[in-house]
Amino acid sequence: AKNQEGNSYQYCTQDLTANAFKFFSMEISLKQALKSSQFHLVYQPQFDISSGRMIGVEALIRWQHPEQGYIGPDVFIPVAESSGLIKPLGDWIISAACQQIKYWDEQGLPAFPIAINVSRRQLVDHRFCENLRDTLHFYALPGSRIEIEITESAIIDNEEIAYQNLRKLHEMGIYLSIDDFGTGHSSLINLKRFPLDKLKIDRDFVRDLMIDQNDVAIIKATIALARSFNLKVIAEGVETQEQRDYLRDQGCDQVQGYLYSKPVMPDVIEQLWNTPQHG
Ligand code: C2E
Ligand code: CA
Ligand code: CA
Ligand code: CA
């Protein structure tokens, strides 16, 4: 038994070393990627659940590594967050999204908002709002063209700076949405305190909606909660008509998911405007 313990300890330190190595080499790759513009944004359209009309898009980052190929944000965003690189990367994401809005405006597309994912590290940065204001100013865009998606855990500990920044964003006319709602542990106090506009039901609850009563309960509760706080509700990860119909009957306002469209390159969004909408 002693020997086995010794061995598992050894494996464990080897794992740690391997993980630390992976982490630092990815950190270096990320820095390089920022410098040599290996990132781009794709956009997933969002729809009004009743009319089927497109009402906005969510910007999602993509990394095409020259040797390793596609690396998903689920892999590199956590590394960017814990290394602090999320700040310059986040600034890049916001600039790229604003540049895209400006371009779409020039192409005559309607003035829908772009939802941008923002990490906790960005939100608690003292310069976050000023940087965002400068970028909006540079592209001559009003705050109402931007929606910020933050997770519950980004505001959960009630840090004052996060609260102040969210208030400032709200005053700038920027919309605020709680991402992955139900997966953290939001207190109702938080919802009351923060100037929110929307709750986003996580894909995890939508996936097994037709078979798992617990997911149904969470979805119903989220929609009821949103109603009483006067917030909109959007469901992500909607892949089937059954899911969509169910969500609509429950009073969900908006949908996003493969049933309608995967995240796509900007020119596909432009084409979407010129084709009939889903019913
Ligand atoms: P998220 O914000 O919850 O984004 C939803 C994820 O679900 C996206 O994965 C999207 O492509 C995927 N998705 C959308 N509809 C469906 C569907 O119908 N079925 C399935 N199976 N998946 C669907 P993605 O793009 O890989 O992003 C993963 C996560 O990485 C995001 O989760 C977000 O937390 C983070 N992320 C992505 N882009 C950014 C970014 O620009 N900034 C930050 N801070 N985080 C980002
Ligand atoms: Ca999101
Ligand atoms: Ca999610
Ligand atoms: Ca997420």
Side-chain angles (χ1 to χ4, degrees):
K2 259 236 137 86
N3 253 340
Q4 263 173 345
E5 269 168 41
N7 281 341
S8 71
Y9 174 75
Q10 219 171 29
Y11 286 130
C12 188
T13 33
Q14 275 171 0
D15 276 2
L16 281 178
T17 317
N19 282 338
F21 179 76
K22 264 192 210 155
F23 181 92
F24 288 120
S25 62
M26 175 157 295
E27 192 184 337
I28 292 165
S29 304
L30 280 170
K31 276 186 190 149
Q32 184 57 41
L34 251 178
K35 268 192 239 154
S36 55
S37 50
Q38 292 165 19
F39 297 108
H40 66 276
L41 297 181
V42 289
Y43 298 88
Q44 188 176 34
Q46 304 175 325
F47 299 85
D48 179 280
I49 203 166
S50 311
S51 69
R53 282 190 45 207
M54 185 171 149
I55 45 118
V57 295
E58 177 181 5
L60 293 156
I61 192 165
R62 293 293 177 260
W63 181 13
Q64 198 64 41
H65 190 280
E67 286 105 42
Q68 294 169 45
Y70 174 74
I71 302 173
D74 279 334
V75 175
F76 70 83
I77 290 288
V79 177
E81 281 171 349
S82 41
S83 67
L85 272 175
I86 193 68
K87 286 186 197 176
L89 185 59
D91 288 344
W92 179 86
I93 292 166
I94 289 170
S95 289
C98 287
Q99 194 178 1
Q100 187 63 57
I101 307 177
K102 196 74 200 160
Y103 177 78
W104 279 338
D105 281 356
E106 286 160 10
Q107 298 293 303
L109 268 71
F112 52 79
I114 290 193
I116 300 173
N117 293 283
V118 167
S119 300
R120 189 195 138 73
R121 278 291 275 274
Q122 294 172 268
L123 192 66
V124 297
D125 184 345
H126 288 269
R127 292 178 321 254
F128 179 68
C129 291
E130 284 64 37
N131 285 351
L132 183 44
R133 187 179 283 128
D134 289 349
T135 307
L136 286 171
H137 188 80
F138 181 82
Y139 289 105
L141 293 168
S144 58
R145 301 302 297 284
I146 302 280
E147 182 176 303
I148 297 289
E149 292 192 5
I150 40 165
T151 59
E152 291 172 81
S153 50
I155 57 172
I156 203 80
D157 59 5
N158 256 334
E159 203 169 325
E160 196 55 25
I161 178 76
Y163 174 72
Q164 296 297 344
N165 275 345
L166 288 179
R167 281 236 73 88
K168 277 190 212 162
L169 295 178
H170 178 70
E171 279 153 22
M172 287 158 68
I174 291 169
Y175 298 105
L176 295 172
S177 173
I178 301 289
D179 209 354
D180 299 353
F181 188 78
T183 62
H185 29 83
S186 275
S187 65
L188 301 181
I189 298 292
N190 267 343
L191 289 186
K192 229 184 109 163
R193 186 164 182 249
F194 290 102
L196 307 176
D197 299 286
K198 205 191 269 190
L199 301 183
K200 192 164 198 180
I201 300 173
D202 191 58
R203 174 155 57 96
D204 278 0
F205 303 117
V206 174
R207 190 189 307 118
D208 299 328
L209 163 66
M210 304 313 289
I211 48 173
D212 189 337
Q213 280 309 304
N214 291 325
D215 292 343
V216 168
I218 290 169
I219 289 174
K220 283 186 177 172
T222 303
I223 294 172
L225 200 61
R227 282 286 156 278
S228 54
F229 282 103
N230 214 2
L231 308 173
K232 293 263 181 245
V233 198
I234 184 166
E236 74 175 7
V238 176
E239 296 184 355
T240 69
Q241 272 178 31
E242 287 77 19
Q243 291 168 343
R244 192 265 320 271
D245 292 349
Y246 185 88
L247 288 160
R248 185 184 51 204
D249 295 347
Q250 288 302 320
C252 183
D253 303 297
Q254 301 166 2
V255 271
Q256 180 180 349
Y258 293 175
L259 173 64
Y260 294 82
S261 168
K262 293 198 167 182
V264 291
M265 296 294 277
D267 59 310
V268 182
I269 296 291
E270 290 149 38
Q271 289 160 24
L272 259 173
W273 277 108
N274 307 316
T275 53
Q277 306 281 338
H278 299 255

